[in-house]
Amino acid sequence: MSDKKVTLTTHYDDKETSVDLAVLFPTLGRPVVDVRTITSQTGLFTHDPAFTATSSCESKITFIDGNEGQLLYRGYPIEQLAEKSNFLDVAYLLLFGETPSASERETYRQEIEDYSLINESLKTFFEGFHYDAHPMAMLMGVVGSLSAFYPDALNIRDADTRRKTALRLVAKMPVISAAIYKHSIGEPFVYPNPKLGYTENFLNMMFSRPNQDYEIDPLAARALDVLFILHADHEQNASTSTVRLAGSTGTNPYAAIAAGIASLWGPAHGGANEAVLKMLDDIGDISQVDKYIAKAKDKNDPFRLMGFGHRVYRNFDPRATIIRKLCHEVLAKYGSDPRLDLAIKLEEIALKDDYFIERKLYPNVDFYSGIIYSALNIPVNMFTVMFAIARTAGWVAHWNELVTTDHKIGRPRQLYTGLTQRNFK
Ligand SMILES: CC(C)(COP(=O)(O)OP(=O)(O)OC[C@H]1O[C@@H](n2cnc3c(N)ncnc32)[C@H](O)[C@@H]1OP(=O)(O)O)[C@@H](O)C(=O)NCCC(=O)NCCS
């Protein structure tokens, strides 16, 4: 913090008021003006509906520099974590601030294993859903229902309870997600296997059947693990902000995470990878690629190349750079699907085309993640669920940070544009 100030002078109600606003200096990134005294000193509110110019909290978890294409978890570059770490350790890093020591890792892995079983009566919840219910609808309902199984989680002042809640969520998300898939295809649920790692277990719970051998492909497990690392956190995105806002009321943390899942579901957020696959289906054939590239460039045509461009990353998406190589390895092994050949062609043309080069429209992480999931036989309507499994680590880390620091209930104000007062007759 510093003594730097911005002075705001307002001319309102026939008087001039000057307010000194403190400038706050982050450890990385641009300074932030603290506007909290504006209302008490001038009687005016600030207006920023989509938070495009607003920092909503202080956080020590994740840093993004969109111009430089930089993403850090607890100070570590995402490239290094993706290359040298694994999802479970990264989740620990996000949750507790450091990667685990050898003995901490042993305890942590044992806890994850212990918490991975879901209560048998929770299984009856799935039966209440029709087989073709959207997996995100089921995920939201089942995770929300965990607040009934763990009412003690409301004891948010207790560090042990918070730790249990965090680890239960990380442990149970892949189990619940695979159970949702099994329910949708009418196959029996597969229990987690203590001999398998986190991502291997997920693949096994998704694809093994009691009447068949299932071999886990190390390339598939590694690709998925890297994708989980890349999606684990992204600072104050819509779903994380939703978790924080819900958490600020002191609600049960499972309910706050269910709110985050609801927010992630939208196509403007977690649904983008689904949109990439739908676009590939619409294009249909390599012979149509030029036509669709022309449509994307035509200002009179609303069509955009899904999976290209990013609001925050104006240079390149560091996550896309990491996953691109893995995507090509996965496609070299699994790529018999014509949609995947189409994706390679699209990427090739767009990366050479002046329109995309000039506007810095590179493929984003969703372009590659959708293709990898598809190559691994994960159905399109499960893509956002995959995102939710990974993002749970970030959501819980942010919830934990919120409830362990001084905070008030989140309560924005509004610009009222309705009717003025009138009498009811
Ligand atoms: C991500 C996205 C919403 C960012 O949008 P934005 O920040 O508003 O970007 P802009 O609209 O300012 O784009 C700048 C220019 O690139 C063009 N552009 C951006 N994304 C494009 C795309 N995917 N296909 C074609 N043209 C695109 C815009 O038309 C604009 O062109 P202009 O300068 O000639 O008007 C946008 O790139 C997009 O719609 N991408 C496709 C959807 C997607 O993949 N979403 C997932 C993001 S993780």
Side-chain angles (χ1 to χ4, degrees), residues 272 296 299 304-311 314 355-356 359 361 364 366:
K299 290 288 149 223
R304 283 188 161 196
L305 273 194
M306 289 294 120
F308 282 74
H310 197 279
R311 172 58 64 84
R314 288 304 189 182
Y355 174 94
F356 294 92
R359 289 170 181 75
L361 297 172
N364 57 45
D366 293 311

Side-chain angles (χ1 to χ4, degrees), residues 69-91:
Q70 183 185 33
L71 171 61
L72 310 177
Y73 291 167
R74 301 282 189 186
Y76 292 119
I78 192 71
E79 294 80 0
Q80 294 176 17
L81 293 171
E83 190 193 333
K84 298 179 190 162
S85 192
N86 58 75
F87 175 70
L88 260 195
D89 278 8
V90 167

Side-chain angles (χ1 to χ4, degrees), residues 9-27:
T9 305
T10 61
H11 300 269
Y12 187 70
D13 276 350
D14 294 330
K15 65 174 188 224
E16 183 181 296
T17 314
S18 279
V19 198
D20 282 338
L21 302 172
V23 177
L24 310 178
F25 285 83
T27 46

Side-chain angles (χ1 to χ4, degrees), residues 46-56 236-238 241 311 412-413:
T46 58
H47 183 60
D48 183 17
F51 305 121
T52 53
T54 298
S55 143
S56 63
Q236 309 310 321
N237 56 85
S241 299
R311 172 58 64 84
R413 301 305 297 261

